[in-house]
């Protein structure tokens, strides 16, 4: 096959990879691009005034939400979506990836931009904790960086018993510093032992919670799974302030409080 | 350790799996055209299992999935979206993902026992529960379609 034939074959076959058909009030373009599980990426078009709206109609974020029990995306994941949209010149509006094909624009080019953005946004899947790329502690660290908190991760501290403990974060804020344990498990049966372990650690470290530079003890519960009982929250509250990862603002406010 | 085929089969064939309480379709965090719900799946074996559902009435596209905490999605029904298997065959707009050690959740097949269309989420839920050996002790009301023009 000569070089010219390669180009002709490629150009000629390209359109066959895309299937365009009427779909209600939209034209649906089924692309050969795939979400990470193999589902096809569809892009929908609809004239509006003198432009054509090109959108995934929120199917990419819907696909992402179907892969996780987390009700909300992390700040890092939101930033990655913004980055993908910026690269491809796509607007993120109400969970939809959207672009306008204005007079003089090529519809194919705009469609490719939206499809490519969908492809990149769906790759946020690789940042999900179930994919073993990222842990909840990584998410918390990202949050602390984003909020400009100074912190040390995995610092070893000696308890009164002589045993060494490793809180997840030692956070230094303007008014007061805090030791943070992140409590996370997917199993109700393991939930109690996780709380007991942190309770014991804070008890053994309680000499650090005294004096003019007393550290605040914080138990940060990963509540993306409903595995914690009221008893477990009450136990943690005895020696620490309890916050939930689903409410990161409360966590930030607690770190900043005197 | 990834989930084994035997473990997945044990989860799927466990007839004590149940969802208790009414299921309410709600807006997602983006206020997108889709609605969703999430519910814990209880069972005598105690697997940390959840059911997740999303419905986009603009397409219409509907998905129900079983998600195992710390593993991810292990079983899912998708209506309204085509699928391409690792073997390079297209499966079609009605397909079901099923966990295997080889392909994780990437391989799908056509579920012949799902006969209701994507536009009827309550009827599809009943069929999904039947095949997934899941009982629902509660009610599900049909989701409300989005109002107004989303793009204005």
């Amino acid at each position: 096959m000569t070089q010219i034939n390669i180009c002709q074959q490629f150009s000629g076959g390209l359109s066959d990879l895309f299937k365009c058909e009427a779909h209600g009030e939209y034209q649906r373009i089924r692309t050969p691009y795939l979400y990470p599980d193999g589902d096809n990426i569809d892009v929908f078009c609809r004239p509006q005034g003198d432009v054509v709206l090109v959108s995934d109609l929120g199917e990419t974020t819907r696909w992402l939400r179907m892969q996780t029990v987390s009700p909300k995306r992390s700040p890092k994941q939101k930033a990655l979506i913004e980055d993908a949209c910026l690269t491809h010149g796509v607007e993120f509006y109400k969970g939809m990836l959207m672009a306008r094909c204005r007079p003089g624009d090529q519809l194919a080019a705009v469609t490719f931009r939206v499809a490519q953005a969908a492809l990149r946004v769906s790759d946020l899947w690789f940042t999900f904790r179930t994919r073993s790329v990222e842990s909840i502690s990584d998410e918390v660290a990202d949050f602390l960086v984003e909020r400009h908190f100074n912190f040390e991760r995995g610092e070893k501290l000696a308890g009164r018993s002589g045993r060494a403990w490793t809180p997840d974060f030692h956070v230094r804020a303007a008014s007061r510093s805090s030791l943070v344990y992140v409590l996370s498990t997917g199993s109700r049966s393991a939930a109690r032992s996780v709380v007991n372990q942190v309770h014991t650690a804070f008890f053994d470290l309680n000499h650090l919670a005294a004096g003019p530079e007393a550290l605040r003890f914080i138990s940060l519960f990963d509540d993306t799974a409903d595995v914690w009982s009221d008893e477990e929250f009450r136990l943690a509250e005895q020696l620490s302030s309890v916050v939930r990862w689903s409410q990161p603002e409360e966590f930030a406010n607690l770190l900043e409080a005197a | 350790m990834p989930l084994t085929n035997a473990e997945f089969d044990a989860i799927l064939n466990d007839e004590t799996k149940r969802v208790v309480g009414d299921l309410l379709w709600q807006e997602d965090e983006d206020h997108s055209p889709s609605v969703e719900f999430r519910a814990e799946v209880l069972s005598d074996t105690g697997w940390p299992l959840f059911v997740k559902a999303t419905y986009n009435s603009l397409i219409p596209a509907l998905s129900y999935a079983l998600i195992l905490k710390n593993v991810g999605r292990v079983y899912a029904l998708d209506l309204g979206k085509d699928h391409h298997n690792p073997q390079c065959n297209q499966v079609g707009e009605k397909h079901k993902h099923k966990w295997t050690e080889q392909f994780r959740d990437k391989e799908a097949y056509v579920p012949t026992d799902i006969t209701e269309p994507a536009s009827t989420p309550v009827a599809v839920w009943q069929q999904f529960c039947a095949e997934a050996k899941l009982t629902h002790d509660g009610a599900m009301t049909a989701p409300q379609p989005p109002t107004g023009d989303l793009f204005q």
Side-chain angles (χ1 to χ4, degrees), chain A residues 150-209:
Chain A
N150 292 313
F151 65 91
E152 186 167 357
R153 195 169 172 181
E155 179 186 21
K156 280 202 186 322
L157 297 169
R160 287 182 294 117
S161 67
R163 177 174 172 179
W165 299 95
T166 310
D168 293 292
F169 299 96
H170 179 170
V171 183
R172 183 172 167 78
S175 301
R176 190 171 174 182
S177 296
S178 301
L179 291 183
V180 181
Y181 266 104
V182 180
L183 295 87
S184 182
T185 177
S187 159
R188 286 187 178 200
S189 57
R192 176 53 64 92
S193 66
V194 170
V195 175
N196 284 346
Q197 173 83 354
V198 171
H199 190 267
T200 306
F202 280 145
F203 183 79
D204 203 27
L205 292 169
N206 68 1
H207 58 287
L208 300 175

Side-chain angles (χ1 to χ4, degrees), chain A residues 14 16-19 29-35 38-41 112 115 119, chain B residues 84 90:
Chain A
L14 200 56
D16 293 341
L17 298 174
F18 294 80
K19 193 192 295 181
I29 300 168
R30 175 149 290 159
T31 77
Y33 293 143
L34 304 175
Y35 292 117
D39 284 358
N40 284 86
I41 293 175
F112 264 87
L119 192 63
Chain B
H84 181 90
Q90 289 296 130

Side-chain angles (χ1 to χ4, degrees), chain A residues 78-91:
Chain A
K78 289 176 184 172
L80 289 170
I81 290 177
E82 287 173 16
D83 184 77
C85 289
L86 186 63
T87 300
H88 297 293
V90 167
E91 181 182 4

Side-chain angles (χ1 to χ4, degrees), chain A residues 36 125-126 131, chain B residues 2 73-74 97-107:
Chain A
W125 176 81
F126 293 106
R131 301 301 144 194
Chain B
R73 191 184 67 167
V74 294
H97 296 259
K98 194 173 177 180
W99 179 274
T100 61
E101 290 173 39
Q102 185 178 11
F103 295 117
R104 301 191 300 280
D105 64 346
K106 294 178 189 291
E107 192 175 37

Side-chain angles (χ1 to χ4, degrees), chain A residues 23 36 65 73 186 188 224, chain B residues 28 30 38 40 48 59 106:
Chain A
H23 194 81
R65 278 194 300 277
R73 288 187 288 273
R188 286 187 178 200
T224 52
Chain B
D28 60 42
D30 299 313
R38 184 192 84 162
E40 186 174 5
I59 309 290
K106 294 178 189 291

Side-chain angles (χ1 to χ4, degrees), chain B residues 22-25 37 53 64 121-123 125 136 138-143:
Chain B
D22 295 345
L23 297 172
L24 190 65
W25 294 93
F37 71 77
Y64 290 112
V122 178
W125 168 246
H136 176 204
M140 178 197 284
T141 51

